[in-house]
Amino acid sequence: MAQAAKLCRPGVIAAYPITPQTHIVENLSQFIADGELDAKSVNVESEHSAASCVLGSQAAGVRSFTCSSSQGLILMSEVLFCIAGMRLPVMLVCANRALSAPINIWNDQQDSIAVRDAGWIQLYAENNQEAVDLIIASHKIAEDPKVMLPAMVCVDGFILTHGMEVVDIPEQKDVDEFLPPYNPPYKLDPKNPMSFGLLGTPDVYLETRYAIQKTLGDVLKMIPTVGKEYQDKFGRDSLRLIEEYKTDDAETILIAMGSVCGTIKDVVDSQRKQGKKVGLLKIVSYRPFPKQAIKKALDSAKNIGVIDKDISLGSDGALYSEVKSVISSDKKISGFIAGLGGRDIKAKTVEEIINLSEKEENSCRFIDLNKNILWEEFKTI
Amino acid sequence: MKKEHFQENCYVSGHTACAGCGQSMAVRIVMNTAGKDTIASNATGCLEVFSSKAPESAFGVPWIHSLFENSAAVASGVETALVHQGKKEGINVIAQAGDGGTADIGLQALSGMLERGHDVLFVCYDNEAYMNTGIQRSGSTPFSASTTTSPSGKHSTGNPRPKKPMVEICAAHHIPYSATSSIANPKDIEIKVKKALKIKGPKYLQIHVPCPLGWRSDPSQSIDVAKKAVETGLYPIVEYEYGKLTKSRKISSPKPVSEYLKLQGRFRHLLKDAKALAEVQQVADKNIEYYGLK
């Protein structure tokens, strides 16, 4: 991932150490120290300042990169809204990790889901190859003068960040051809003074939100186009709204984001061998949310099971709620909360989710609960 | 604001600051001294609100505001971007904040900016409370001042704590320059901004700026009120270079603090309370001794 970030030639990098993100910024620092990357690295004193620093550097006209996880992303959250509101195409890699308390360094997706409303493009990688591709490809969309919105590439902490996989790292020459130097339509420049971050009264604020919403709608159309361009150049279709895996005739379709999709594909393959019509719908672009593509992909499905590695406590999983809002009411849809705080989602877990999806509807079923450690009054549930 | 207004000025009238606003006067001096080749970052606060209501701006230089606590971090990013582009020579980067955005919520980002050695001048406009939100106590509120969150009353003589010594906190980072100034002496602000901008590295300048609304003082007397703060020893005008006190403005015959306090409603409760008044006098006496003002 550091290699992918480096290929995009960021001029300013600011990040604060947090597990499991840290080695991305460590590697970038080493590239700079070794003269392999012409960039300035700012060792900020917090994630809040990391995000603020890249906000400033991007506004001054330089491509800027940051990365974080969990508490760090949440500490940044105030600035994340601001970066999008100021229409600055900052790039952020989020190594997805659970949120405190209790403190937990392992993977789930609660952190990025918690900032889903900030106005950022949010893409989820299934494996390290996709992480590399999405980092490079999303720059092109974010920096398009018609877009000018920040992008967050979400990679499951440890599972991907500390996983060893053989990946194809594109050639610098090819990336340079795909991604031209950052040339923003506006920047901080004494030759042409502009004010950034003005007070937006009730007379103008609503329109700023409408504009972001409208742009994210356009991004929905751009992702397949730029994805195709990326595929033509690098041979992989990693940048796409969704991936439909054996969904054409599937009666039961699971929906998920990130690395768990790899496990689900294995289960789908083995169940297909037994003649079960199951499939996977992988969401790559969570923001913007591809409602139409999802609806179309679920055409044949009778049973839908949505796996959330997050929960809107007091309600349901975030992905479940959003999928439910776009599908027709004749389909059975269930929501499953799994893998929180790094609990393994094994093939057996996925099989259980498939079985449950075919039974009665559930909106928010916790999978793999260890009832032995629950408080007494919850054990009956 | 029309373009021609900006031809000579980097900060122009037409904004919505209150009458007698010390901060607005100080900003004009800072910006015009720094000149056109300046990029300013700004914390949330009065200045940001009254100078930059969309679609207007009183600033004739590139200006950026994002949040309350991150003016120093945003300026760090701007400066780093300029260095990366090879454009830093000849462009000043100034980070601005009020006293809350400096001494309280912005302190961490400021300390980080100073420690990392960014070539940025941080200017704190010190009006000694959260004025934008309605005169709440900050870490920079002086001892015994009555604010809406440190009100005087039967059991209170106002703010129970002394001002946070920001100029020394910054100087303790052993930065090239850390100084105070006051709208009492506009020329002093100009000299210090010029001096600071000639130095490469992190600089801190804190300017005492009366807020007639929050201090409950006569808007036509802002400069005089600020003068009395200096003349009584309650607002020491000092300069630190690389951590050492190198200059302090002498006051040969300090005035009694009551001459400063009586001009402001925020200190009115002290005037009939000899003990409380004596305690404020002690603050001034200590300043005079500690900073060598005599």
Side-chain angles (χ1 to χ4, degrees):
Chain A
M1 286 167 228
Q3 291 274 5
K6 175 184 160 224
L7 286 169
C8 298
R9 300 188 187 275
V12 175
I13 296 162
Y16 188 79
I18 184 167
T19 303
Q21 157 269 148
T22 316
H23 62 274
I24 301 174
V25 66
E26 284 171 356
N27 282 325
L28 286 166
S29 300
Q30 194 64 52
F31 294 146
I32 296 171
D34 294 341
E36 291 174 29
L37 173 61
D38 175 25
K40 300 285 171 213
S41 161
V42 188
N43 293 328
V44 283
E45 80 298 332
S46 72
E47 286 91 353
H48 196 284
S49 283
S52 301
C53 187
V54 292
L55 180 155
S57 55
Q58 193 89 33
V62 172
R63 184 176 289 152
S64 303
F65 177 86
T66 186
C67 43
S68 197
S69 278
S70 181
Q71 308 307 128
L73 193 77
I74 297 304
L75 184 57
M76 281 183 176
S77 64
E78 186 193 22
V79 194
L80 298 181
F81 280 78
C82 211
I83 289 170
M86 292 169 80
R87 308 300 295 252
L88 298 169
V90 166
M91 169 60 57
L92 185 153
V93 170
C94 172
N96 285 110
R97 168 184 150 182
L99 290 175
S100 288
I103 185 168
N104 174 299
I105 61 166
W106 293 272
N107 166 248
D108 66 32
Q109 294 168 343
Q110 190 71 59
D111 48 3
S112 53
I113 292 294
V115 296
R116 65 182 177 171
D117 300 333
W120 285 58
I121 296 163
Q122 263 196 14
L123 307 173
Y124 287 76
E126 178 188 330
N127 50 46
N128 284 325
Q129 184 66 63
E130 282 193 2
V132 166
D133 295 337
L134 293 177
I135 289 168
I136 298 167
S138 59
H139 271 85
K140 183 128 179 169
I141 295 175
E143 292 176 4
D144 188 299
K146 288 192 222 87
V147 176
M148 293 300 278
L149 280 175
M152 183 183 301
V153 172
C154 302
V155 294
D156 283 321
F158 291 110
I159 300 169
L160 297 186
T161 58
H162 290 62
M164 293 296 198
E165 279 183 313
V166 177
V167 293
D168 174 54
I169 303 284
E171 295 293 323
Q172 183 70 62
K173 178 179 71 71
D174 293 333
V175 176
D176 289 346
E177 281 168 15
F178 174 78
L179 184 68
Y182 180 50
N183 184 22
Y186 41 77
K187 63 179 175 182
L188 292 165
D189 180 4
K191 290 196 188 88
N192 181 24
M194 288 184 188
S195 293
F196 284 65
L198 302 185
L199 171 70
T201 61
D203 294 336
V204 302
Y205 185 89
L206 186 67
E207 286 71 16
T208 67
R209 267 26 198 181
Y210 176 77
I212 296 175
Q213 175 71 1
K214 194 88 180 132
T215 302
L216 284 170
D218 296 340
V219 170
L220 223 39
K221 293 181 202 123
M222 286 174 73
I223 285 175
T225 317
V226 177
K228 176 76 175 41
E229 200 184 321
Y230 188 88
Q231 188 180 8
D232 289 346
K233 188 123 196 114
F234 302 102
R236 287 179 299 273
D237 62 349
S238 304
L239 179 67
R240 49 194 157 175
L241 298 171
I242 55 170
E243 181 190 350
E244 294 161 87
Y245 188 77
K246 304 189 179 174
T247 53
D248 275 353
D249 61 341
E251 290 174 3
T252 300
I253 296 180
L254 296 192
I255 306 180
M257 302 196 290
S259 63
V260 72
C261 292
T263 313
I264 298 173
K265 284 176 181 173
D266 281 351
V267 175
V268 166
D269 289 348
S270 63
Q271 296 220 344
R272 283 265 168 187
K273 275 182 199 153
Q274 296 159 28
K276 281 195 79 174
K277 289 184 175 175
V278 294
L280 163 71
L281 173 59
K282 178 174 91 181
I283 309 296
V284 179
S285 172
Y286 179 62
R287 285 293 178 272
F289 194 63
K291 290 181 188 177
Q292 292 311 318
I294 290 171
K295 201 172 173 186
K296 197 161 159 278
L298 293 173
D299 251 1
S300 71
K302 288 183 191 151
N303 314 303
I304 300 161
V306 185
I307 301 178
D308 270 285
K309 283 184 168 186
D310 65 86
I311 179 164
S312 177
L313 290 166
S315 180
D316 298 309
L319 187 57
Y320 164 81
S321 304
E322 297 192 45
V323 172
K324 191 175 163 68
S325 75
V326 302
I327 60 159
S328 54
S329 57
D330 61 327
K331 295 182 194 300
K332 201 192 287 178
I333 177 165
S334 286
F336 301 93
I337 308 298
L340 299 190
R343 185 74 56 93
D344 258 354
I345 302 180
K346 298 175 181 155
K348 201 165 77 40
T349 317
V350 177
E351 286 161 13
E352 187 192 346
I353 289 172
I354 292 172
N355 286 338
L356 289 167
S357 301
E358 290 164 357
K359 291 178 183 154
E360 79 276 16
E361 276 194 330
N362 275 295
S363 66
C364 186
R365 179 150 181 163
F366 280 67
I367 295 297
D368 283 346
L369 275 181
N370 178 0
K371 291 188 182 169
N372 295 327
I373 60 167
L374 283 174
W375 286 335
E376 206 54 48
E377 59 267 41
F378 296 142
K379 283 189 179 172
T380 52
I381 299 165
Chain B
M1 196 47 53
K2 285 178 186 147
K3 229 174 184 168
E4 53 264 32
H5 291 128
F6 287 120
Q7 273 166 7
E8 285 173 17
N9 290 304
C10 299
Y11 174 81
V12 299
S13 59
H15 53 72
T16 58
C18 305
C21 172
Q23 182 178 30
S24 191
M25 293 183 233
V27 172
R28 195 182 68 228
I29 298 163
V30 170
M31 285 299 134
N32 282 339
T33 304
K36 296 279 182 197
D37 289 327
T38 299
I39 298 176
S41 85
N42 216 117
T44 306
C46 279
L47 171 60
E48 163 264 325
V49 172
F50 68 63
S51 71
S52 68
K53 192 180 87 168
E56 293 167 345
S57 174
F59 285 92
V61 296
W63 177 92
I64 181 166
H65 154 256
S66 91
L67 295 163
F68 199 172
E69 67 274 52
N70 67 355
S71 186
V74 170
S76 299
V78 170
E79 183 253 10
T80 306
L82 292 174
V83 172
H84 174 71
Q85 293 167 308
K87 290 185 187 164
K88 180 64 192 75
E89 295 306 316
I91 298 180
N92 306 309
V93 179
I94 296 180
Q96 316 187 89
D99 49 287
T102 302
D104 294 345
I105 198 168
L107 180 57
Q108 177 181 312
L110 170 58
S111 175
M113 185 200 94
L114 299 178
E115 171 273 316
R116 293 189 300 268
H118 293 279
D119 186 19
V120 174
L121 168 62
F122 190 101
V123 182
C124 167
Y125 301 101
D126 183 14
N127 59 20
E128 305 188 317
Y130 293 92
M131 299 313 187
N132 191 42
T133 43
I135 319 153
Q136 293 84 24
R137 175 201 181 272
S138 80
S140 196
T141 297
F143 179 64
S144 289
S146 180
T147 71
T148 55
T149 52
S150 65
S152 58
K154 251 189 220 168
H155 301 283
S156 164
T157 50
N159 178 34
R161 300 290 303 155
K163 272 175 86 77
K164 193 186 277 195
M166 276 308 299
V167 70
E168 286 171 271
I169 290 170
C170 293
H173 291 71
H174 291 198
I175 55 172
Y177 191 64
S178 177
T180 56
S181 187
S182 168
I183 195 67
N185 186 350
K187 196 72 196 164
D188 184 64
I189 300 175
E190 200 182 308
I191 289 166
K192 283 174 176 162
V193 169
K194 269 190 191 153
K195 180 173 178 177
L197 290 176
K198 275 190 193 142
I199 304 167
K200 200 169 175 179
K203 291 83 61 172
Y204 176 80
L205 178 61
Q206 175 177 310
I207 307 173
H208 200 216
V209 289
C211 167
L213 188 76
W215 296 10
R216 285 174 273 149
S217 56
D218 181 345
S220 69
Q221 299 297 308
S222 289
I223 301 284
D224 288 334
V225 172
K227 275 185 183 164
K228 290 284 192 298
V230 175
E231 289 164 0
T232 54
L234 283 173
Y235 211 91
I237 303 299
V238 295
E239 287 178 276
Y240 286 82
E241 287 169 73
Y242 296 97
K244 292 215 169 79
L245 180 66
T246 50
K247 264 186 202 164
S248 45
R249 196 192 141 163
K250 306 294 175 195
I251 35 173
S252 47
S253 43
K255 295 195 161 83
V257 292
S258 57
E259 292 208 15
Y260 173 59
L261 305 182
K262 72 183 181 190
L263 301 173
Q264 305 164 65
R266 65 176 174 157
F267 294 121
R268 188 169 295 140
H269 58 286
L270 300 175
L271 300 173
K272 289 177 199 156
D273 184 338
K275 185 170 160 276
L277 191 61
E279 282 175 0
V280 177
Q281 186 60 54
Q282 271 179 19
V283 173
D285 295 347
K286 271 190 192 161
N287 279 345
I288 290 164
E289 195 194 328
Y290 184 82
Y291 295 103
L293 303 181
K294 253 186 167 173

